[in-house]
């Protein structure tokens, strides 16, 4: 079973930073291409960022220049560093796995599986 777990969410003020972590339950994420997604209240889940197994990275326009996806903990996890957070970043953040590297740039949930339970990020003053 490829089960993922997200962590690191919480309440932050606009302009502050937060680091989220995606971990495999009992396995390393090093061999996998991983995506980060988010679902804001009343909205559909949208792609945020993705990283290939070879470590090419991709970002949604809404977070480009503010968020950074990277592998951490000797490749065990995939982290999402969120800088200059805005209220519109408020959402439940999910990570997932994809085998479709040809389409990963789209960061489309259609091509991802093994979703975690999500971690809540609330950006409010």
């Amino acid at each position: 079973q490829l089960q993922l777990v997200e962590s690191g969410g919480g309440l932050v003020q606009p302009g502050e930073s937060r680091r989220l972590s995606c971990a495999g339950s009992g396995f390393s994420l090093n061999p996998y291409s991983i995506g980060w997604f988010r679902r804001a209240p009343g909205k559909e889940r949208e792609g945020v960022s993705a990283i290939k197994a070879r470590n090419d990275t991709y970002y949604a326009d809404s977070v480009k220049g503010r968020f950074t996806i990277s592998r951490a903990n000797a490749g065990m996890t995939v982290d999402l560093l969120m800088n200059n957070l805005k209220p519109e970043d408020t959402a439940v953040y999910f990570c997932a796995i994809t085998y479709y590297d040809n389409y990963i740039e789209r960061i489309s949930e259609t091509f991802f599986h093994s979703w975690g339970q999500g971690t809540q990020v609330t950006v409010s003053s």
Side-chain angles (χ1 to χ4, degrees), residues 70-107:
S70 63
R71 298 186 185 274
N73 301 304
M76 287 287 292
T77 65
V78 172
D79 287 3
L80 183 69
L81 175 60
M82 305 181 295
N83 292 326
N84 191 25
L85 282 162
K86 305 175 180 180
E88 50 263 45
D89 295 318
T90 295
V92 178
Y93 283 74
F94 302 87
C95 61
I97 297 170
T98 184
Y99 300 141
Y100 295 89
D101 276 1
N102 288 345
Y103 305 104
I104 193 171
E105 187 174 359
R106 303 179 184 180
I107 323 177

Side-chain angles (χ1 to χ4, degrees), residues 1-6 22-37 45 49-53 69 71 76-78 94-101 103-104 107-117:
Q1 296 290 334
L2 298 179
Q3 295 183 337
L4 302 181
V5 58
E6 303 91 345
C22 177
S25 182
F27 66 97
S28 172
L29 298 189
N30 179 266
Y32 300 102
S33 296
I34 302 294
W36 277 100
F37 297 77
R45 188 157 54 191
S49 184
I51 184 168
K52 285 183 176 180
I69 191 170
R71 298 186 185 274
M76 287 287 292
T77 65
V78 172
F94 302 87
C95 61
I97 297 170
T98 184
Y99 300 141
Y100 295 89
D101 276 1
Y103 305 104
I104 193 171
I107 323 177
S108 172
E109 66 177 89
T110 301
F111 304 105
F112 287 78
H113 62 91
S114 301
W115 299 90
Q117 294 297 309

Side-chain angles (χ1 to χ4, degrees), residues 33-61:
S33 296
I34 302 294
W36 277 100
F37 297 77
R38 65 187 181 186
R39 175 171 48 80
K43 296 184 177 180
E44 297 295 315
R45 188 157 54 191
E46 64 176 348
V48 175
S49 184
I51 184 168
K52 285 183 176 180
R54 65 180 181 179
N55 294 326
D56 292 340
T57 58
Y58 305 91
Y59 299 92
D61 289 341

